[in-house]
Amino acid sequence: MTSARPDLLDRPDGATIAYHRLAGKSPGVVFLGGFMSDMEGTKALALEDHCWRAGRAFLRFDPFAHGQSSGDMAEATVGRWRRDAVAVLDELCTGPQVLVGSSMGGWVALLAALDRPTRLAGLVGIAAAPDATEMMWAEFDADVRATLERDGVYHAPSDYGDGPYTIAMKLIEEGRQQLILDRPIEISCPVRLLQGMQDPDVPWRHALRIAAALTADDVVLTLVKQGDHRLSQAADIARLCATVEDLCG
């Protein structure tokens, strides 16, 4: 297993990305966490344990302004997370990889796949949320939009006990440059989408839009009737590990 202290990847602007990495067989697995989540979450650690037992290479990291990485959430953008994910692929991983993205991390994984198509052995989305910033904006009422436009930042309450979430107008505006569901998503590797039908944050029909937009032939969507947004119950974790191992095989 990895050590308690993360390693750091230096970025050209002086920022650092904290990560944990396991050596092992190929293809490797890279976990991309969700918005305001970090690499110490249930799914990341469970997947690391699975890969360790399988002797498979694995990497988890904290995106900019999350966890043990540097950065201010008021300055975070989807494009920044996209560039950092590509840097992780380029500088820390060898050979083909299976990207596993949770929620906002699913959007970033899709963007990284578009940037590095030859590096992918597969992609798994867990409640994947491409174009999530537009979903946020659509749900905000007039008062929240006014706060964002006036102050540049809105502190949103969290339903998961780890908030409030810092949402910046910069995140919303830059996110419009990263939208992918308005056109075909040109990814050819196998894709597996895991989606809870009781998800209050990413409607399960959003997963249908992703599946329809992907140009890959090998796309499988699994709907979990009683599944929530995090999909971190024991049965969900077992399903995730089996899905990743199937793609690796």
Side-chain angles (χ1 to χ4, degrees), residues 48-60:
E48 179 182 66
D49 181 68
H50 171 81
C51 288
W52 176 69
R53 294 174 186 278
R56 186 171 304 286
F58 177 80
L59 187 143
R60 55 186 167 100

Side-chain angles (χ1 to χ4, degrees), residues 96-117:
Q97 303 292 317
V98 172
L99 300 185
V100 181
S102 178
S103 192
M104 184 81 81
W107 186 4
V108 177
L110 288 163
L111 292 168
L114 290 170
D115 290 340
R116 293 292 185 272

